[in-house]
Amino acid sequence: MSPLKQIELLCPAKDLESGRLAINYGADAIYVGAGKFGARAGATNNLKDIEQLVRYAHLFRAKVFVTLNTILYDHELDEAEKLIHDLYQLGADALIIQDMGILKMNLPPIPLHASTQTHNYDLERIKFLDRVGFERIILARELSVTEIKNIRQNTQVELEAFVHGALCVSLSGQCYFSQAISGRSANRGECAQACRMKFNLLDGNGNTIQKNKHFLSLKDFNASAKLAEMMDAGIASFKIEGRLKDKAYVINNTAYYRKLIDNLLNNRPNHQKSSSGHTLFSFEPDPEKTFNRGYTSYFLDGRKPEMASFDSPKSKGKLIGTIKLVGKNFLQLNTSETLANGDGLCFVDDQGQLQGFNINQSEANKIFPARMPSIKVGTEIYRNFDKNFSKQIENNRDRRKINIELTFIEYPQGFVLKAEDEDGIQVEKILETDKIPANNPDLARQNMIKQFSKTGDTYFEVTKVNIQLSNGFFIPAGILNQLKRDLIELISEKRLASYPKPQTHQDVSKPDYPQTKLDYRGNIANKLAQRFYTNHGVTTTEPAFEILKKEEFKEKVIMTTRYCLKYELGLCPTKQQPNRKLKEPLLLQDEHRSYLLEFDCHNCLMKIKY
């Protein structure tokens, strides 16, 4: 019989607290930033916290992946190599990397995952990465289910895909917009989020088509309706984005996808989740009730309109209804939702701007805003802060539990309590004591079962207690409880001690890179990366964009995206039937300058030039 296919829910961890919460609510693995070299400079952790996270995760057979997915400069190579060895010693299960120079370092045998920052969009590049030592490739968000299936059929490597969270409009690893305008590199974890800014759109004659719109700001990704297809296409790890998000976001979305994946696994006998334990949720998760900009399935079903959120890059939350009546100091809504004092609502005004207000007092569908907005009947209303839901998440104390079965038996000098957990790990604890017959044997037996079944705030849940005694014996409840506590400590330590140390098993070969020439988009910023590509047949290279001088930025592509603004506006001449034709070239204009839009219709890509 072939082994069961392991399916992983991978969740973000900004810090120690959110990492533990992600594990509690069902993550099979978490990804976390170290002190440096992660693609989210605002989400870093010291080694002590990472060590605690590793220990906590491994108790549940969950994994901890550490992000070192920035490009590195020469003076950082030694420090990065030392950090990698430190992380391996702490028990980190894998490194998520971007810089190919890392493959030329003296590495411990730790698995390497190719970050989405390594531009895992093209099949030939993915096949190359499969052969040079990566255990896993994190696919580009822009891929369709059909494209994922084709990649699976042509590679052996484990495949990971995003299923939820913020979308980078650029192909990951190929965005230099932030570096060009602010000196803050997305490839160095310091993205200034130029894509979330306002722009004017101009035609080739300099006429303004639309102004003050967030033309590059995408809605958030939600692939929850496509999980089954993605699983069937070959995805082994389903990733939630959000290392900068708050704990409510982590709890809500982890719980939501845990429930969805578990339902799928229940109908797939050849699949199983990759960690142990279970969580019984005390609330009903809903991804629309925590941070979101509206949702899109992006390219999973191919190109579709309404991928972007032109009005605002902020969280709109959940559409709850429309305005029915505007009073002097109140509003009445058409909604089936229960509203509460303190809820935050928002709407898009006549100028296309997102406006918000708080509910001061609620009487069913009649609300009294803290500040009366300028709004009209029929306006759509969103709730971007649900006070009751947030309070419910904040106050819940759900714990993840591992199933164990206990057996209490006699031995000559007393008794033995044995435990076996859901993974087959066994321990026992001896209680040396006199055997005192109980006055009421049945009551004594019931008391033993009762005491042994209580696990309180531990990470275990007793599913069965077997009492195998020749007679009923009296043992004080305090002694039984101490015996159980000692046993739980033993099985916890054995679970940690028996956790397999991560090892890389990938055979490393030296295939030729698909190209012999690489420009700045190869992201080569150090001598080891240069050596890597040279060793794989690249004959001509250009330094990374971050190393170029300002005067060298001119007319360079600073963003490449599968998202197309002409298509989003209904003006694509090949896939739509536009009612007008724009004079090209089109330009995006911010407060400082204009940026040329170039449309590669053959490859269905849009490029932005500096």
Coordinates of all heavy atoms in Angstrom, one line a residue, residues 35 61 194 240 242 257 280 295 307 316 330 360 397 423 442 448 465 477 486 577 592 604:
G35 N 15.6 37.2 12.7 CA 16.0 38.5 13.0 C 16.3 39.4 11.8 O 16.2 40.6 11.8
R61 N 3.6 17.7 16.1 CA 4.1 17.3 14.9 C 3.9 18.3 13.7 O 3.9 18.0 12.6 CB 3.5 15.9 14.4 CG 3.9 14.7 15.3 CD 5.4 14.5 15.3 NE 5.9 13.3 15.9 CZ 6.4 13.3 17.2 NH1 6.5 14.4 17.8 NH2 6.9 12.2 17.7
A194 N 4.1 50.6 -3.4 CA 3.7 51.6 -4.5 C 2.4 51.2 -5.1 O 1.6 52.0 -5.6 CB 4.8 51.7 -5.5
I240 N -1.6 30.5 3.8 CA -2.3 31.7 4.1 C -1.2 32.8 4.2 O -0.2 32.7 4.9 CB -3.1 31.6 5.4 CG1 -4.2 30.5 5.2 CG2 -3.7 33.0 5.8 CD1 -4.9 30.3 6.5
G242 N 0.1 36.6 5.4 CA -0.2 37.6 6.4 C 0.7 37.6 7.6 O 0.2 37.7 8.8
Y257 N -9.8 27.7 7.2 CA -9.2 26.8 6.2 C -9.0 25.4 6.9 O -9.0 24.4 6.1 CB -7.9 27.3 5.6 CG -8.2 28.3 4.6 CD1 -8.4 29.7 4.9 CD2 -8.4 28.0 3.2 CE1 -8.7 30.6 3.9 CE2 -8.7 28.9 2.3 CZ -8.9 30.2 2.6 OH -9.2 31.1 1.6
L280 N -11.5 22.0 18.7 CA -12.9 22.2 18.6 C -13.2 23.7 18.8 O -12.9 24.3 19.8 CB -13.6 21.4 19.7 CG -13.5 19.9 19.7 CD1 -14.2 19.2 20.9 CD2 -14.1 19.3 18.4
Y295 N -12.6 40.1 -2.2 CA -11.9 38.9 -2.6 C -11.9 38.6 -4.1 O -12.9 39.0 -4.8 CB -12.5 37.7 -1.8 CG -12.1 37.7 -0.4 CD1 -13.1 37.7 0.6 CD2 -10.7 37.6 0.0 CE1 -12.7 37.7 2.0 CE2 -10.4 37.6 1.4 CZ -11.3 37.6 2.3 OH -11.0 37.6 3.7
M307 N -10.6 42.2 -10.6 CA -9.5 41.7 -9.7 C -9.0 42.8 -8.7 O -8.5 42.5 -7.7 CB -8.3 41.2 -10.5 CG -8.6 39.9 -11.3 SD -7.1 39.4 -12.2 CE -7.6 37.8 -12.8
K316 N -12.3 46.7 3.4 CA -13.7 47.0 3.3 C -14.6 46.1 4.2 O -15.7 46.5 4.6 CB -14.2 46.9 1.8 CG -13.6 48.0 0.9 CD -14.0 47.8 -0.5 CE -15.4 48.1 -0.8 NZ -15.7 48.0 -2.3
F330 N -29.8 59.5 12.2 CA -29.8 58.0 12.1 C -29.9 57.5 10.7 O -30.2 58.2 9.8 CB -31.0 57.4 13.0 CG -32.3 57.6 12.3 CD1 -32.8 56.7 11.4 CD2 -33.1 58.8 12.5 CE1 -34.1 56.9 10.8 CE2 -34.3 59.0 11.9 CZ -34.8 58.0 11.1
N360 N -22.7 54.4 17.1 CA -22.7 54.8 18.5 C -23.8 54.0 19.2 O -23.6 53.7 20.4 CB -23.0 56.3 18.5 CG -22.8 56.9 19.9 OD1 -21.8 56.5 20.6 ND2 -23.7 57.7 20.4
R397 N -10.8 30.6 24.4 CA -9.7 29.9 24.9 C -9.6 28.5 24.3 O -9.3 27.5 25.0 CB -9.8 29.8 26.4 CG -9.7 31.2 27.1 CD -8.3 31.8 27.0 NE -8.2 33.1 27.7 CZ -8.4 34.2 27.1 NH1 -8.8 34.3 25.8 NH2 -8.3 35.4 27.8
D423 N -0.4 9.0 17.8 CA 0.7 8.7 16.9 C 1.4 7.4 17.3 O 2.5 7.1 16.7 CB 1.7 9.9 16.8 CG 1.1 11.1 16.2 OD1 0.5 11.1 15.1 OD2 1.2 12.2 16.9
D442 N -16.8 -0.5 42.9 CA -17.3 0.2 41.7 C -17.1 1.7 41.8 O -16.8 2.3 40.8 CB -18.8 -0.2 41.6 CG -19.0 -1.6 41.2 OD1 -18.1 -2.2 40.7 OD2 -20.1 -2.1 41.4
M448 N -11.4 6.6 39.6 CA -10.2 6.5 38.8 C -10.4 7.0 37.4 O -9.6 7.8 36.8 CB -9.7 5.1 38.8 CG -9.1 4.6 40.1 SD -8.6 2.8 40.0 CE -8.1 2.6 41.7
V465 N -10.2 5.3 29.0 CA -9.5 4.9 30.2 C -9.7 3.4 30.5 O -10.9 3.0 30.7 CB -9.8 5.7 31.5 CG1 -9.1 5.2 32.7 CG2 -9.5 7.2 31.3
A477 N -7.5 10.8 45.4 CA -7.6 11.6 44.1 C -6.3 12.4 43.8 O -5.9 12.5 42.7 CB -8.8 12.5 44.1
D486 N 2.4 13.5 35.9 CA 3.7 13.0 35.6 C 3.7 12.3 34.2 O 4.7 12.4 33.5 CB 4.2 12.1 36.7 CG 4.5 12.8 38.0 OD1 4.6 14.0 38.0 OD2 4.5 12.1 39.0
Q577 N -14.5 43.0 -26.2 CA -15.0 43.8 -27.3 C -15.2 45.2 -26.8 O -16.4 45.6 -26.5 CB -16.3 43.2 -27.9 CG -16.1 41.8 -28.5 CD -17.4 41.2 -29.0 OE1 -18.5 41.6 -28.6 NE2 -17.3 40.3 -30.0
H592 N 4.8 62.6 -8.6 CA 6.1 63.0 -9.0 C 6.5 62.8 -10.5 O 7.3 63.5 -11.0 CB 7.1 62.2 -8.1 CG 6.9 62.3 -6.7 ND1 7.1 63.5 -6.0 CD2 6.3 61.4 -5.8 CE1 6.8 63.3 -4.7 NE2 6.3 62.1 -4.5
C604 N 0.3 37.8 -22.7 CA -0.7 38.3 -21.8 C -0.1 38.9 -20.5 O -0.5 38.5 -19.4 CB -1.7 37.2 -21.5 SG -3.4 37.8 -21.4

